[in-house]
Amino acid sequence: MSISIIDIEIDGVHIFKDEKFYINFRNESRVFEEEKENHVVSKLMGNNYRNNVVALAGINASGKTSSLYLINFIMMVFIMGEGLNFDKRIAALLNKEVTIKAHFISKKKIYYLKASITKEATVSGQVLNFKEEEVYSKVVNSQVTNKMFLDHSDFSEELVRSELLSSKSGAFLKEEDSVLPSFAQVDGLDVPRNYVLDTFSSTDMNFIYAFSKYDASIIQYLDDSIEHLEIEFNIEEKQAYFSLKFYNSEPIRGTLLNLRDYLSSGTIKGLSIFSYIKAILKNGGYLLVDELEIHFNKTIVENILSFFQSKANKNGATLVFSTHYSELLDKIERKETVKILRKKERKIQIDNLAELSEAEKKNRTDVKNSDLILSGIFGTAPSYEKYWKVYKNLLELTEGDSSEK
């Protein structure tokens, strides 16, 4: 029995509006039978569902990557049991005092976490530590209403970090480790090892992560000229090798780094991400991808989305991704799952597309998500004024070159 995240709130993120980051994975509007049947959503309890695809959309430097880092941070610390300092990029986003609030659910039990974190400068850099943590819970059934689902009036206190530290049980608790993963384990929750995966390290550079034989169906889908591909790791040499064979060609063997000489960037990324997708669909976990469309053609990206919005996703896996490709958003079933990121007065603001569309009286099925984004009415198109300044600058440079000749 694993755990799902309902929402995340981080107070003390200086790059966001009001220094607060918030994202909700739960449905905010009615869920239709077709969406349930096609696994566009996963049932939490009652009429409460979790959206299986969440997209972060916006222009360059609008905060999409930072948002993904923050989501991953919460999942890795409070679900997977990593320490607060496992990702050094996080400290740079946070103030000296931070408050985290998040809701999780496992079967019929909802957990409410409230944590206080401090940041201090050390000789080795910025370090995060827990100041306090409180864990509350309540049991819900199929009769629970949307309004009462997260109502705090009937939550019961389960654990307080400061009290635990004063007991023998807290003797080995590190300052950067959360109490929630251990508590959840005692409470009967079993989180798979690869429950939360991300592809951040391959956003700009492609790597193949798994040392294994790849499914023939995946290889054929990405490149039908490949007959066989296998990755092996030599423990003695501490080196990874590939064995590759194209149809009607001699086998090729070499170090993993040289595989890029034989396969396209799209194939290399595809082998990695499809391996991740396979694992996540199996265990019902989370896959976070920054700039999903990089190195892929449109069809492959659309197919990836379809895996998480179809019967292939019967275990309720979640894909969270960022994109610059507005047309890709037309393949997302529910507008509320498209999170629009914009900068106003140099602070990042997050809104869902359904709410923005409603305000403009454009929340209709006949209006494409991409048309809304590209129209610029939400500040999601590059500034024409800024473009014109760049254009004039380039024009002056070229005219200068002409006069010198």
mmCIF file of all heavy atoms in Angstrom, residues 265-311:
data_model
loop_
_atom_site.group_PDB
_atom_site.id
_atom_site.type_symbol
_atom_site.label_atom_id
_atom_site.label_comp_id
_atom_site.label_asym_id
_atom_site.label_seq_id
_atom_site.Cartn_x
_atom_site.Cartn_y
_atom_site.Cartn_z
ATOM 1 N N SER A 265 19.712 11.387 -30.569
ATOM 2 C CA SER A 265 19.390 11.924 -29.250
ATOM 3 C C SER A 265 18.000 11.487 -28.802
ATOM 4 O O SER A 265 17.773 11.169 -27.638
ATOM 5 C CB SER A 265 19.459 13.459 -29.274
ATOM 6 O OG SER A 265 20.773 13.899 -29.480
ATOM 7 N N GLY A 266 17.056 11.475 -29.761
ATOM 8 C CA GLY A 266 15.691 11.073 -29.436
ATOM 9 C C GLY A 266 15.607 9.620 -28.992
ATOM 10 O O GLY A 266 14.875 9.290 -28.058
ATOM 11 N N THR A 267 16.368 8.743 -29.647
ATOM 12 C CA THR A 267 16.364 7.327 -29.280
ATOM 13 C C THR A 267 16.975 7.129 -27.900
ATOM 14 O O THR A 267 16.453 6.371 -27.075
ATOM 15 C CB THR A 267 17.140 6.494 -30.321
ATOM 16 O OG1 THR A 267 16.512 6.642 -31.602
ATOM 17 C CG2 THR A 267 17.159 5.027 -29.941
ATOM 18 N N ILE A 268 18.073 7.817 -27.635
ATOM 19 C CA ILE A 268 18.734 7.693 -26.330
ATOM 20 C C ILE A 268 17.822 8.181 -25.213
ATOM 21 O O ILE A 268 17.640 7.516 -24.187
ATOM 22 C CB ILE A 268 20.071 8.461 -26.319
ATOM 23 C CG1 ILE A 268 21.079 7.733 -27.210
ATOM 24 C CG2 ILE A 268 20.619 8.597 -24.906
ATOM 25 C CD1 ILE A 268 22.400 8.444 -27.373
ATOM 26 N N LYS A 269 17.219 9.348 -25.408
ATOM 27 C CA LYS A 269 16.299 9.843 -24.380
ATOM 28 C C LYS A 269 15.097 8.916 -24.247
ATOM 29 O O LYS A 269 14.627 8.646 -23.143
ATOM 30 C CB LYS A 269 15.819 11.252 -24.727
ATOM 31 C CG LYS A 269 14.862 11.825 -23.672
ATOM 32 C CD LYS A 269 14.405 13.236 -23.974
ATOM 33 C CE LYS A 269 13.458 13.733 -22.902
ATOM 34 N NZ LYS A 269 12.980 15.119 -23.151
ATOM 35 N N GLY A 270 14.612 8.431 -25.377
ATOM 36 C CA GLY A 270 13.452 7.554 -25.356
ATOM 37 C C GLY A 270 13.693 6.275 -24.584
ATOM 38 O O GLY A 270 12.839 5.817 -23.817
ATOM 39 N N LEU A 271 14.867 5.662 -24.755
ATOM 40 C CA LEU A 271 15.189 4.439 -24.034
ATOM 41 C C LEU A 271 15.152 4.663 -22.524
ATOM 42 O O LEU A 271 14.657 3.814 -21.771
ATOM 43 C CB LEU A 271 16.573 3.931 -24.457
ATOM 44 C CG LEU A 271 16.659 3.353 -25.870
ATOM 45 C CD1 LEU A 271 18.112 3.160 -26.273
ATOM 46 C CD2 LEU A 271 15.893 2.039 -25.971
ATOM 47 N N SER A 272 15.655 5.813 -22.087
ATOM 48 C CA SER A 272 15.661 6.119 -20.659
ATOM 49 C C SER A 272 14.264 6.410 -20.140
ATOM 50 O O SER A 272 13.808 5.826 -19.156
ATOM 51 C CB SER A 272 16.579 7.315 -20.382
ATOM 52 O OG SER A 272 17.917 6.996 -20.657
ATOM 53 N N ILE A 273 13.563 7.312 -20.810
ATOM 54 C CA ILE A 273 12.274 7.744 -20.290
ATOM 55 C C ILE A 273 11.223 6.644 -20.385
ATOM 56 O O ILE A 273 10.368 6.503 -19.501
ATOM 57 C CB ILE A 273 11.806 9.041 -20.997
ATOM 58 C CG1 ILE A 273 10.738 9.736 -20.133
ATOM 59 C CG2 ILE A 273 11.247 8.775 -22.378
ATOM 60 C CD1 ILE A 273 10.397 11.138 -20.592
ATOM 61 N N PHE A 274 11.293 5.819 -21.424
ATOM 62 C CA PHE A 274 10.329 4.723 -21.521
ATOM 63 C C PHE A 274 10.584 3.656 -20.467
ATOM 64 O O PHE A 274 9.653 2.998 -20.003
ATOM 65 C CB PHE A 274 10.337 4.120 -22.929
ATOM 66 C CG PHE A 274 9.473 4.875 -23.893
ATOM 67 C CD1 PHE A 274 9.975 5.950 -24.612
ATOM 68 C CD2 PHE A 274 8.142 4.532 -24.076
ATOM 69 C CE1 PHE A 274 9.184 6.664 -25.494
ATOM 70 C CE2 PHE A 274 7.334 5.240 -24.956
ATOM 71 C CZ PHE A 274 7.854 6.308 -25.671
ATOM 72 N N SER A 275 11.843 3.487 -20.067
ATOM 73 C CA SER A 275 12.150 2.576 -18.965
ATOM 74 C C SER A 275 11.554 3.111 -17.669
ATOM 75 O O SER A 275 11.021 2.351 -16.849
ATOM 76 C CB SER A 275 13.669 2.405 -18.815
ATOM 77 O OG SER A 275 14.216 1.803 -19.965
ATOM 78 N N TYR A 276 11.655 4.420 -17.494
ATOM 79 C CA TYR A 276 11.055 5.060 -16.312
ATOM 80 C C TYR A 276 9.535 4.932 -16.337
ATOM 81 O O TYR A 276 8.898 4.639 -15.323
ATOM 82 C CB TYR A 276 11.453 6.529 -16.263
ATOM 83 C CG TYR A 276 12.814 6.806 -15.659
ATOM 84 C CD1 TYR A 276 13.699 5.773 -15.372
ATOM 85 C CD2 TYR A 276 13.211 8.099 -15.371
ATOM 86 C CE1 TYR A 276 14.939 6.027 -14.813
ATOM 87 C CE2 TYR A 276 14.455 8.371 -14.805
ATOM 88 C CZ TYR A 276 15.308 7.325 -14.529
ATOM 89 O OH TYR A 276 16.533 7.578 -13.967
ATOM 90 N N ILE A 277 8.952 5.172 -17.504
ATOM 91 C CA ILE A 277 7.496 5.084 -17.641
ATOM 92 C C ILE A 277 7.014 3.681 -17.275
ATOM 93 O O ILE A 277 6.008 3.519 -16.561
ATOM 94 C CB ILE A 277 7.058 5.454 -19.072
ATOM 95 C CG1 ILE A 277 7.250 6.957 -19.314
ATOM 96 C CG2 ILE A 277 5.598 5.064 -19.321
ATOM 97 C CD1 ILE A 277 7.061 7.376 -20.756
ATOM 98 N N LYS A 278 7.732 2.693 -17.751
ATOM 99 C CA LYS A 278 7.372 1.297 -17.456
ATOM 100 C C LYS A 278 7.364 1.054 -15.949
ATOM 101 O O LYS A 278 6.432 0.435 -15.409
ATOM 102 C CB LYS A 278 8.366 0.366 -18.156
ATOM 103 C CG LYS A 278 8.062 -1.106 -17.976
ATOM 104 C CD LYS A 278 9.096 -1.944 -18.709
ATOM 105 C CE LYS A 278 8.859 -3.438 -18.461
ATOM 106 N NZ LYS A 278 9.876 -4.266 -19.156
ATOM 107 N N ALA A 279 8.394 1.540 -15.255
ATOM 108 C CA ALA A 279 8.486 1.353 -13.801
ATOM 109 C C ALA A 279 7.377 2.091 -13.064
ATOM 110 O O ALA A 279 6.765 1.558 -12.133
ATOM 111 C CB ALA A 279 9.856 1.819 -13.307
ATOM 112 N N ILE A 280 7.107 3.324 -13.494
ATOM 113 C CA ILE A 280 6.108 4.156 -12.809
ATOM 114 C C ILE A 280 4.694 3.636 -13.041
ATOM 115 O O ILE A 280 3.867 3.619 -12.125
ATOM 116 C CB ILE A 280 6.234 5.626 -13.275
ATOM 117 C CG1 ILE A 280 7.551 6.222 -12.777
ATOM 118 C CG2 ILE A 280 5.059 6.458 -12.787
ATOM 119 C CD1 ILE A 280 7.700 6.261 -11.268
ATOM 120 N N LEU A 281 4.390 3.202 -14.251
ATOM 121 C CA LEU A 281 3.061 2.636 -14.514
ATOM 122 C C LEU A 281 2.840 1.360 -13.705
ATOM 123 O O LEU A 281 1.711 1.055 -13.311
ATOM 124 C CB LEU A 281 2.894 2.341 -16.008
ATOM 125 C CG LEU A 281 2.769 3.550 -16.939
ATOM 126 C CD1 LEU A 281 2.687 3.082 -18.389
ATOM 127 C CD2 LEU A 281 1.553 4.409 -16.591
ATOM 128 N N LYS A 282 3.912 0.643 -13.454
ATOM 129 C CA LYS A 282 3.801 -0.597 -12.685
ATOM 130 C C LYS A 282 3.549 -0.330 -11.207
ATOM 131 O O LYS A 282 2.729 -1.013 -10.576
ATOM 132 C CB LYS A 282 5.079 -1.432 -12.859
ATOM 133 C CG LYS A 282 5.023 -2.777 -12.172
ATOM 134 C CD LYS A 282 6.292 -3.579 -12.435
ATOM 135 C CE LYS A 282 6.220 -4.942 -11.743
ATOM 136 N NZ LYS A 282 7.445 -5.744 -12.005
ATOM 137 N N ASN A 283 4.248 0.677 -10.635
ATOM 138 C CA ASN A 283 4.108 0.892 -9.192
ATOM 139 C C ASN A 283 3.167 2.038 -8.819
ATOM 140 O O ASN A 283 2.939 2.289 -7.633
ATOM 141 C CB ASN A 283 5.490 1.080 -8.531
ATOM 142 C CG ASN A 283 6.200 2.355 -8.979
ATOM 143 O OD1 ASN A 283 5.595 3.370 -9.274
ATOM 144 N ND2 ASN A 283 7.534 2.301 -9.016
ATOM 145 N N GLY A 284 2.614 2.736 -9.816
ATOM 146 C CA GLY A 284 1.663 3.808 -9.525
ATOM 147 C C GLY A 284 2.291 5.042 -8.916
ATOM 148 O O GLY A 284 1.630 5.787 -8.176
ATOM 149 N N GLY A 285 3.564 5.296 -9.223
ATOM 150 C CA GLY A 285 4.285 6.409 -8.626
ATOM 151 C C GLY A 285 4.250 7.681 -9.450
ATOM 152 O O GLY A 285 3.283 7.954 -10.177
ATOM 153 N N TYR A 286 5.342 8.459 -9.360
ATOM 154 C CA TYR A 286 5.415 9.786 -9.965
ATOM 155 C C TYR A 286 6.635 9.888 -10.881
ATOM 156 O O TYR A 286 7.742 9.498 -10.499
ATOM 157 C CB TYR A 286 5.523 10.866 -8.884
ATOM 158 C CG TYR A 286 4.297 10.987 -8.018
ATOM 159 C CD1 TYR A 286 4.118 10.165 -6.907
ATOM 160 C CD2 TYR A 286 3.313 11.929 -8.302
ATOM 161 C CE1 TYR A 286 2.990 10.269 -6.110
ATOM 162 C CE2 TYR A 286 2.185 12.047 -7.507
ATOM 163 C CZ TYR A 286 2.033 11.219 -6.425
ATOM 164 O OH TYR A 286 0.907 11.315 -5.638
ATOM 165 N N LEU A 287 6.414 10.452 -12.061
ATOM 166 C CA LEU A 287 7.505 10.733 -12.994
ATOM 167 C C LEU A 287 7.508 12.228 -13.285
ATOM 168 O O LEU A 287 6.506 12.788 -13.727
ATOM 169 C CB LEU A 287 7.334 9.961 -14.296
ATOM 170 C CG LEU A 287 8.369 10.242 -15.394
ATOM 171 C CD1 LEU A 287 9.782 9.904 -14.911
ATOM 172 C CD2 LEU A 287 8.045 9.451 -16.656
ATOM 173 N N LEU A 288 8.643 12.885 -13.025
ATOM 174 C CA LEU A 288 8.790 14.318 -13.252
ATOM 175 C C LEU A 288 9.762 14.542 -14.401
ATOM 176 O O LEU A 288 10.899 14.050 -14.363
ATOM 177 C CB LEU A 288 9.304 15.018 -11.993
ATOM 178 C CG LEU A 288 8.284 15.244 -10.859
ATOM 179 C CD1 LEU A 288 7.898 13.931 -10.193
ATOM 180 C CD2 LEU A 288 8.841 16.202 -9.812
ATOM 181 N N VAL A 289 9.303 15.285 -15.405
ATOM 182 C CA VAL A 289 10.105 15.501 -16.607
ATOM 183 C C VAL A 289 10.134 16.995 -16.941
ATOM 184 O O VAL A 289 9.087 17.616 -17.111
ATOM 185 C CB VAL A 289 9.539 14.723 -17.817
ATOM 186 C CG1 VAL A 289 10.447 14.907 -19.031
ATOM 187 C CG2 VAL A 289 9.368 13.248 -17.489
ATOM 188 N N ASP A 290 11.323 17.531 -17.054
ATOM 189 C CA ASP A 290 11.486 18.935 -17.452
ATOM 190 C C ASP A 290 11.627 19.003 -18.967
ATOM 191 O O ASP A 290 12.458 18.296 -19.553
ATOM 192 C CB ASP A 290 12.727 19.521 -16.777
ATOM 193 C CG ASP A 290 12.796 21.036 -16.899
ATOM 194 O OD1 ASP A 290 11.768 21.661 -17.215
ATOM 195 O OD2 ASP A 290 13.885 21.599 -16.662
ATOM 196 N N GLU A 291 10.799 19.832 -19.603
ATOM 197 C CA GLU A 291 10.803 20.015 -21.054
ATOM 198 C C GLU A 291 10.646 18.673 -21.769
ATOM 199 O O GLU A 291 11.555 18.187 -22.446
ATOM 200 C CB GLU A 291 12.072 20.757 -21.492
ATOM 201 C CG GLU A 291 12.177 22.150 -20.869
ATOM 202 C CD GLU A 291 13.362 22.947 -21.388
ATOM 203 O OE1 GLU A 291 13.849 22.633 -22.487
ATOM 204 O OE2 GLU A 291 13.788 23.881 -20.691
ATOM 205 N N LEU A 292 9.491 18.094 -21.631
ATOM 206 C CA LEU A 292 9.190 16.768 -22.162
ATOM 207 C C LEU A 292 9.465 16.641 -23.655
ATOM 208 O O LEU A 292 9.866 15.582 -24.146
ATOM 209 C CB LEU A 292 7.714 16.446 -21.874
ATOM 210 C CG LEU A 292 7.166 15.110 -22.362
ATOM 211 C CD1 LEU A 292 7.940 13.949 -21.756
ATOM 212 C CD2 LEU A 292 5.678 14.993 -22.034
ATOM 213 N N GLU A 293 9.275 17.730 -24.395
ATOM 214 C CA GLU A 293 9.358 17.649 -25.853
ATOM 215 C C GLU A 293 10.784 17.621 -26.406
ATOM 216 O O GLU A 293 10.982 17.299 -27.589
ATOM 217 C CB GLU A 293 8.622 18.830 -26.484
ATOM 218 C CG GLU A 293 9.271 20.201 -26.265
ATOM 219 C CD GLU A 293 8.872 20.867 -24.962
ATOM 220 O OE1 GLU A 293 8.313 20.199 -24.087
ATOM 221 O OE2 GLU A 293 9.130 22.083 -24.815
ATOM 222 N N ILE A 294 11.786 17.926 -25.587
ATOM 223 C CA ILE A 294 13.166 17.983 -26.088
ATOM 224 C C ILE A 294 13.609 16.622 -26.627
ATOM 225 O O ILE A 294 13.449 15.594 -25.965
ATOM 226 C CB ILE A 294 14.128 18.459 -24.989
ATOM 227 C CG1 ILE A 294 13.934 19.955 -24.731
ATOM 228 C CG2 ILE A 294 15.581 18.194 -25.370
ATOM 229 C CD1 ILE A 294 14.901 20.545 -23.742
ATOM 230 N N HIS A 295 14.157 16.606 -27.839
ATOM 231 C CA HIS A 295 14.690 15.430 -28.549
ATOM 232 C C HIS A 295 13.606 14.503 -29.100
ATOM 233 O O HIS A 295 13.932 13.478 -29.707
ATOM 234 C CB HIS A 295 15.645 14.611 -27.664
ATOM 235 C CG HIS A 295 16.798 15.381 -27.127
ATOM 236 N ND1 HIS A 295 17.790 15.909 -27.925
ATOM 237 C CD2 HIS A 295 17.134 15.727 -25.857
ATOM 238 C CE1 HIS A 295 18.676 16.533 -27.180
ATOM 239 N NE2 HIS A 295 18.301 16.440 -25.921
ATOM 240 N N PHE A 296 12.322 14.827 -28.889
ATOM 241 C CA PHE A 296 11.243 13.970 -29.365
ATOM 242 C C PHE A 296 10.425 14.666 -30.454
ATOM 243 O O PHE A 296 10.272 15.894 -30.430
ATOM 244 C CB PHE A 296 10.280 13.616 -28.236
ATOM 245 C CG PHE A 296 10.820 12.614 -27.252
ATOM 246 C CD1 PHE A 296 10.443 12.663 -25.921
ATOM 247 C CD2 PHE A 296 11.679 11.604 -27.653
ATOM 248 C CE1 PHE A 296 10.914 11.743 -25.005
ATOM 249 C CE2 PHE A 296 12.165 10.674 -26.749
ATOM 250 C CZ PHE A 296 11.775 10.741 -25.415
ATOM 251 N N ASN A 297 9.865 13.851 -31.350
ATOM 252 C CA ASN A 297 8.901 14.435 -32.281
ATOM 253 C C ASN A 297 7.536 14.495 -31.605
ATOM 254 O O ASN A 297 7.313 13.911 -30.544
ATOM 255 C CB ASN A 297 8.847 13.651 -33.603
ATOM 256 C CG ASN A 297 8.367 12.218 -33.423
ATOM 257 O OD1 ASN A 297 7.383 11.953 -32.745
ATOM 258 N ND2 ASN A 297 9.056 11.272 -34.060
ATOM 259 N N LYS A 298 6.619 15.198 -32.246
ATOM 260 C CA LYS A 298 5.311 15.459 -31.650
ATOM 261 C C LYS A 298 4.555 14.175 -31.323
ATOM 262 O O LYS A 298 3.947 14.057 -30.252
ATOM 263 C CB LYS A 298 4.478 16.323 -32.612
ATOM 264 C CG LYS A 298 3.102 16.689 -32.085
ATOM 265 C CD LYS A 298 2.341 17.511 -33.110
ATOM 266 C CE LYS A 298 0.931 17.833 -32.624
ATOM 267 N NZ LYS A 298 0.161 18.597 -33.639
ATOM 268 N N THR A 299 4.609 13.199 -32.199
ATOM 269 C CA THR A 299 3.858 11.955 -32.005
ATOM 270 C C THR A 299 4.319 11.204 -30.762
ATOM 271 O O THR A 299 3.500 10.703 -29.980
ATOM 272 C CB THR A 299 3.991 11.047 -33.240
ATOM 273 O OG1 THR A 299 3.496 11.734 -34.385
ATOM 274 C CG2 THR A 299 3.194 9.766 -33.055
ATOM 275 N N ILE A 300 5.624 11.119 -30.555
ATOM 276 C CA ILE A 300 6.149 10.411 -29.384
ATOM 277 C C ILE A 300 5.694 11.090 -28.098
ATOM 278 O O ILE A 300 5.274 10.426 -27.141
ATOM 279 C CB ILE A 300 7.686 10.324 -29.443
ATOM 280 C CG1 ILE A 300 8.116 9.353 -30.550
ATOM 281 C CG2 ILE A 300 8.266 9.881 -28.096
ATOM 282 C CD1 ILE A 300 9.614 9.214 -30.718
ATOM 283 N N VAL A 301 5.750 12.414 -28.062
ATOM 284 C CA VAL A 301 5.336 13.144 -26.859
ATOM 285 C C VAL A 301 3.852 12.921 -26.593
ATOM 286 O O VAL A 301 3.435 12.703 -25.453
ATOM 287 C CB VAL A 301 5.640 14.653 -27.001
ATOM 288 C CG1 VAL A 301 5.201 15.397 -25.746
ATOM 289 C CG2 VAL A 301 7.130 14.875 -27.232
ATOM 290 N N GLU A 302 3.051 12.975 -27.633
ATOM 291 C CA GLU A 302 1.612 12.749 -27.471
ATOM 292 C C GLU A 302 1.340 11.333 -26.985
ATOM 293 O O GLU A 302 0.441 11.110 -26.160
ATOM 294 C CB GLU A 302 0.886 13.010 -28.793
ATOM 295 C CG GLU A 302 0.855 14.482 -29.175
ATOM 296 C CD GLU A 302 0.203 14.724 -30.525
ATOM 297 O OE1 GLU A 302 -0.013 13.735 -31.263
ATOM 298 O OE2 GLU A 302 -0.084 15.886 -30.842
ATOM 299 N N ASN A 303 2.121 10.365 -27.470
ATOM 300 C CA ASN A 303 1.961 8.985 -27.026
ATOM 301 C C ASN A 303 2.314 8.818 -25.553
ATOM 302 O O ASN A 303 1.661 8.062 -24.828
ATOM 303 C CB ASN A 303 2.803 8.035 -27.874
ATOM 304 C CG ASN A 303 2.264 7.892 -29.284
ATOM 305 O OD1 ASN A 303 1.127 8.251 -29.563
ATOM 306 N ND2 ASN A 303 3.071 7.370 -30.175
ATOM 307 N N ILE A 304 3.348 9.533 -25.103
ATOM 308 C CA ILE A 304 3.731 9.484 -23.686
ATOM 309 C C ILE A 304 2.570 9.975 -22.820
ATOM 310 O O ILE A 304 2.225 9.362 -21.806
ATOM 311 C CB ILE A 304 5.003 10.322 -23.431
ATOM 312 C CG1 ILE A 304 6.220 9.625 -24.055
ATOM 313 C CG2 ILE A 304 5.225 10.525 -21.927
ATOM 314 C CD1 ILE A 304 7.493 10.436 -24.011
ATOM 315 N N LEU A 305 1.954 11.070 -23.233
ATOM 316 C CA LEU A 305 0.803 11.588 -22.491
ATOM 317 C C LEU A 305 -0.335 10.573 -22.467
ATOM 318 O O LEU A 305 -1.010 10.401 -21.451
ATOM 319 C CB LEU A 305 0.312 12.895 -23.113
ATOM 320 C CG LEU A 305 1.185 14.128 -22.915
ATOM 321 C CD1 LEU A 305 0.542 15.341 -23.576
ATOM 322 C CD2 LEU A 305 1.404 14.412 -21.444
ATOM 323 N N SER A 306 -0.541 9.896 -23.579
ATOM 324 C CA SER A 306 -1.650 8.947 -23.677
ATOM 325 C C SER A 306 -1.472 7.770 -22.722
ATOM 326 O O SER A 306 -2.451 7.221 -22.218
ATOM 327 C CB SER A 306 -1.807 8.441 -25.115
ATOM 328 O OG SER A 306 -0.776 7.532 -25.459
ATOM 329 N N PHE A 307 -0.223 7.375 -22.454
ATOM 330 C CA PHE A 307 0.012 6.274 -21.522
ATOM 331 C C PHE A 307 -0.563 6.578 -20.141
ATOM 332 O O PHE A 307 -1.049 5.684 -19.445
ATOM 333 C CB PHE A 307 1.517 5.981 -21.374
ATOM 334 C CG PHE A 307 2.163 5.459 -22.622
ATOM 335 C CD1 PHE A 307 3.469 5.795 -22.930
ATOM 336 C CD2 PHE A 307 1.483 4.628 -23.494
ATOM 337 C CE1 PHE A 307 4.090 5.310 -24.073
ATOM 338 C CE2 PHE A 307 2.083 4.140 -24.657
ATOM 339 C CZ PHE A 307 3.394 4.488 -24.935
ATOM 340 N N PHE A 308 -0.473 7.843 -19.733
ATOM 341 C CA PHE A 308 -0.930 8.237 -18.395
ATOM 342 C C PHE A 308 -2.409 8.632 -18.378
ATOM 343 O O PHE A 308 -2.948 8.922 -17.314
ATOM 344 C CB PHE A 308 -0.076 9.400 -17.875
ATOM 345 C CG PHE A 308 1.324 8.997 -17.522
ATOM 346 C CD1 PHE A 308 2.322 8.961 -18.486
ATOM 347 C CD2 PHE A 308 1.652 8.630 -16.222
ATOM 348 C CE1 PHE A 308 3.617 8.578 -18.165
ATOM 349 C CE2 PHE A 308 2.931 8.246 -15.893
ATOM 350 C CZ PHE A 308 3.922 8.212 -16.870
ATOM 351 N N GLN A 309 -3.040 8.652 -19.540
ATOM 352 C CA GLN A 309 -4.461 8.995 -19.636
ATOM 353 C C GLN A 309 -5.202 7.887 -20.373
ATOM 354 O O GLN A 309 -5.999 8.139 -21.264
ATOM 355 C CB GLN A 309 -4.643 10.334 -20.358
ATOM 356 C CG GLN A 309 -3.979 11.505 -19.664
ATOM 357 C CD GLN A 309 -4.192 12.818 -20.390
ATOM 358 O OE1 GLN A 309 -4.871 13.722 -19.919
ATOM 359 N NE2 GLN A 309 -3.596 12.941 -21.562
ATOM 360 N N SER A 310 -4.907 6.642 -19.991
ATOM 361 C CA SER A 310 -5.500 5.490 -20.664
ATOM 362 C C SER A 310 -5.534 4.313 -19.707
ATOM 363 O O SER A 310 -5.077 4.398 -18.560
ATOM 364 C CB SER A 310 -4.693 5.117 -21.908
ATOM 365 O OG SER A 310 -3.436 4.568 -21.525
ATOM 366 N N LYS A 311 -6.049 3.189 -20.181
ATOM 367 C CA LYS A 311 -6.150 1.981 -19.355
ATOM 368 C C LYS A 311 -4.786 1.392 -19.024
ATOM 369 O O LYS A 311 -4.683 0.518 -18.152
ATOM 370 C CB LYS A 311 -7.040 0.960 -20.054
ATOM 371 C CG LYS A 311 -8.491 1.410 -20.136
ATOM 372 C CD LYS A 311 -9.370 0.398 -20.846
ATOM 373 C CE LYS A 311 -10.811 0.911 -20.917
ATOM 374 N NZ LYS A 311 -11.714 -0.041 -21.624
#
